[in-house]
Amino acid sequence: MPALTPDTIRAATETLSRLTEYLRESPDPTEAFTLVEPLLDEYTGLPIQLADILRALARTVQGHPDTPRTAAVSLLITELRSAAWEQSDQHVLQYVLDDLRALCKSTPVRGPESG
């Protein structure tokens, strides 16, 4: 695996920004679901990945010998871990996506007058 750099991480975030822009153009929902699905995978999607990244960052900072052992640092590390748990809880978005896709496929299209 090539070494990670700030540029490789920026490239990933730029790809996500491009996806956001694309979705704002109102593409076909089937295509939108297909593009978003990998991001919300319950095991490898963004919520789980970000949670793992936050936990690993907290562990890295806490375990480094040059990290100050202060209450302020401890509190911030705790906040990182709390944020990681909150992100992990978002793994259920995969089920929301599945349900939404199923409803879109099964519900007949109505005209604007049916609201």
Side-chain angles (χ1 to χ4, degrees), residues 107-115:
T107 305
V109 177
R110 298 181 182 178
E113 68 281 350
S114 61

Side-chain angles (χ1 to χ4, degrees), residues 1-2 7 25 34 37 39 48 53 56 60-62 69-70 72 74 81 84 86 98-99 106 109-110 114:
M1 171 190 270
D7 287 340
E25 295 170 2
T34 301
E37 185 175 27
L39 299 177
I48 298 303
I53 289 166
T60 296
V61 172
Q62 186 175 37
R69 308 295 181 217
T70 65
S74 181
R81 289 190 171 123
E86 290 174 18
D98 291 343
D99 291 346
S106 67
V109 177
R110 298 181 182 178
S114 61

